[in-house]
Amino acid sequence: MGLRVLSALDAAKIQYYHFKAIIVAGMGLFTDAYDLFCIPPIMKLLGRVYYEDNRDDKYQIPQAVLATMLGTVLLGTVIGQLVFGMLGDRMGRRHVYGISLMLMVLSSVGCGFSICRTKTCVLASLGFFRFFLGLGIGGDYPLSATIMSEFANKNTRGAFIAAVFSMQGLGILASSTVTMVVSKTFEAAASKNLSNDHTPEDADIAWRLILMLGAVPAGLTYYWRMMMPETARYTALVENNALQAAKDMEKVLDFSICHIAEDDPIQPPQNPPSYPLFSMQFLRVHGMDLFSCATTWLLLDIAFYSSSLFQSQIYRKHLGLKGTTVYNEAFKVAFFQTMVAIAATIPGYWFTVYFIDRIGRRKIQMMGFLCMSIVYFAIGIPYHYWCTNENKGFLVLYGLTFFFANFGPNTTTFIVPAELFPARFRSTCHGISGAMGKVGAFFGTLGFLWSTKNNDRDDLPRIKAMRIALVSLGGICLLGMAVTYLFTRETNGRSLEENEKEMENSELCVFRCSRDADRQPETSVPEEVIAL
């Protein structure tokens, strides 16, 4: 029965439940992107509300405060990926799936309330709630990827996981749209008392409302998430309950297990592996895969998050933020993010959805890294030219980095860890890989905070520092391409069990070869000695 369940899942046609699972699983990533990428315009609002009397730089949040606000959510994300990834393998995907979503919902609401209205208290409580928001966001990464990979069939598995991840693009678009609507609404309400040098008290409500609205989509999908059954692969392979796995799948997929014809049945290992996580045998079998997944995700997020979270500062010259009202400043930043999302970010996601099962994960990842590096070099090396000339080519080139990140490693690094590892390690290893990515995001954002610090003279990012930062990002992307080429395996068109079986057979071969090599050759006795 267990063999029939796994064969049926890999041979199943695309059904309504697959699309429902994409929406339910993807809503966590939607909320993730909403909460992470609404920060640039909200930082503008906070600067105008709480730093109006800043003598050194009016309306500008200090670099240390900005780094702390961004660092707390990334720290929470790292911990959430590790903890929820491990719990997903020990307790089951379904049992902890709702907890991560509820953490996101409650933390988003908490960020909006932030307890009080004094600067120190608001920033401290905001950092506190954003840490727990990061826990929920981090937990959603390994669980959503693992659940979708274990529900999907082997021919369209990549497209389904990529579609789940593409909900991030919609989350970015939603956060920017909500920010624009809220900004214009408050601006219209305060039009009589609004000026460039005065921040109305209502602005303190605007940023709170933007944060709290991010909890609505996730809250709406909580019921359906809790109604999802445990994945058949976890039930059959980890809990060893094939009958329950069959019953669960019959509830959601439109076929009867007992009538499935096994045209090409998948033979599971005769002796399932019993080695623990991070044992020497685990490292021999899966160590290279874990290294490639974690390293490529680390390198990607250094580039992707640094440029995504600070794009509004990079484009300060083109946005014209000086001499404008508080609401118009937030509106311009959000509008620019909307344009980038529509023109580059979202198309990149859906290019991957279309091509991932046609080209393969490995080729798309290498292509994305290579194109990102070329674009970073093209805007980094002649950066003085881009700064001294009113040339929109800079914006076009920089937008291409987002397109090739999403039609490339930003999506594939989310997919591959959900396909390479055995069911009992899958969620944990995905969490480890993602946690390394967020470590890279943390250091990348700190680096860009330094490089985008403005000159007092012309309000442009320091040219030399920006050139170093952009060229360094190009080198990092080239390194990511090299790691992909040398260490990343292709998983396209094969079932999850076939990927696992390939590595187990490889380890068995290595073990037998090493055992034979260690044997001492038998000493042959010459016939003359025997005769004597």
Side-chain angles (χ1 to χ4, degrees), residues 32-33 36-37 141 165 168-169 172 296-311 314 340 344-345 349 369 372 376 398-411 413 437-438 440-441 444-445 448 473 476-477:
D32 159 29
L36 287 177
F37 289 90
Y141 269 74
F165 195 66
Q168 275 197 339
I172 297 171
T296 52
W297 207 332
L298 169 75
L299 297 172
L300 177 275
D301 274 2
I302 291 175
F304 183 77
Y305 272 78
S306 59
S307 53
S308 295
L309 293 176
F310 295 100
Q311 59 182 271
I314 295 170
V340 172
T345 305
Y349 284 120
F369 271 129
M372 287 174 67
Y376 278 128
Y398 210 81
L400 287 176
T401 63
F402 294 100
F403 175 80
F404 286 112
N406 293 314
F407 182 37
N410 190 40
T411 306
T413 52
K438 293 304 173 285
T445 52
F448 251 61
L473 293 182
I476 287 171
C477 291

Side-chain angles (χ1 to χ4, degrees), residues 95-172:
H95 289 88
V96 295
Y97 205 26
I99 300 175
S100 66
L101 187 69
M102 188 52 60
L103 264 177
M104 283 190 281
V105 171
L106 296 178
S107 300
S108 296
V109 175
C111 287
F113 281 109
S114 291
I115 304 175
C116 49
R117 295 191 62 183
T118 61
K119 179 171 64 177
T120 303
C121 183
V122 165
L123 294 176
S125 59
L126 182 60
F128 173 80
F129 284 114
R130 286 192 67 79
F131 172 78
F132 284 96
L133 175 64
L135 286 178
I137 290 173
D140 206 77
Y141 269 74
L143 296 174
S144 293
T146 300
I147 286 173
M148 198 67 242
S149 71
E150 294 180 346
F151 271 126
N153 65 64
K154 66 180 181 180
N155 294 321
T156 58
R157 184 178 62 240
F160 284 155
I161 306 175
V164 170
F165 195 66
S166 71
M167 295 294 286
Q168 275 197 339
L170 299 180
I172 297 171

Side-chain angles (χ1 to χ4, degrees), residues 254-268:
D254 187 20
F255 56 73
S256 177
I257 296 294
C258 60
H259 293 100
I260 291 295
E262 299 179 57
D263 297 327
D264 186 21
I266 302 166
Q267 298 295 335

Side-chain angles (χ1 to χ4, degrees), residues 328-532:
N328 197 33
E329 184 175 356
F331 178 88
K332 285 185 176 182
V333 173
F335 178 77
F336 184 80
Q337 287 186 326
T338 302
M339 294 299 99
V340 172
I342 293 174
T345 305
I346 295 176
Y349 284 120
W350 287 99
F351 265 66
T352 304
V353 172
Y354 182 79
F355 287 107
I356 188 72
D357 291 313
R358 292 171 170 83
I359 300 178
R361 290 77 162 137
R362 190 167 175 266
K363 291 180 180 179
I364 289 179
Q365 186 161 301
M366 286 193 296
M367 178 271 299
F369 271 129
L370 176 62
C371 292
M372 287 174 67
S373 67
I374 292 173
V375 176
Y376 278 128
F377 290 142
I379 61 179
I381 295 174
Y383 189 71
H384 183 271
Y385 167 80
W386 299 120
C387 286
T388 55
N389 293 273
E390 292 288 342
N391 196 318
K392 301 301 181 183
F394 174 80
L395 303 181
V396 174
L397 285 174
Y398 210 81
L400 287 176
T401 63
F402 294 100
F403 175 80
F404 286 112
N406 293 314
F407 182 37
N410 190 40
T411 306
T412 54
T413 52
F414 180 78
I415 296 172
V416 173
E419 299 179 312
L420 279 177
F421 302 99
R424 63 199 187 93
F425 299 140
R426 188 167 293 138
S427 180
T428 301
C429 291
H430 194 286
I432 294 171
S433 303
M436 287 297 296
K438 293 304 173 285
V439 171
F442 176 77
F443 288 107
T445 52
L446 288 182
F448 251 61
L449 268 176
W450 167 76
S451 61
T452 56
K453 187 176 181 180
N454 298 325
N455 285 330
D456 296 332
R457 183 182 62 183
D458 55 6
D459 198 35
L460 286 173
R462 291 177 296 173
I463 293 176
K464 183 177 180 180
M466 277 300 298
R467 180 185 291 117
I468 294 173
L470 291 168
V471 171
S472 298
L473 293 182
I476 287 171
C477 291
L478 285 180
L479 182 59
M481 184 186 71
V483 173
T484 303
Y485 177 78
L486 294 173
F487 300 106
T488 301
R489 291 192 297 125
E490 182 58 73
T491 58
N492 186 30
R494 295 185 296 184
S495 71
L496 300 178
E497 288 69 41
E498 287 172 334
N499 287 328
E500 176 183 353
K501 186 178 179 181
E502 175 186 345
M503 293 308 297
E504 295 296 337
N505 289 341
S506 174
E507 164 63 15
L508 182 61
C509 178
V510 171
F511 172 74
R512 286 177 175 173
C513 291
S514 62
R515 183 186 61 183
D516 292 342
D518 291 339
R519 286 179 177 174
Q520 295 295 330
E522 296 180 1
T523 304
S524 58
V525 181
E527 293 183 359
E528 294 81 3
V529 175
I530 296 176
L532 290 175

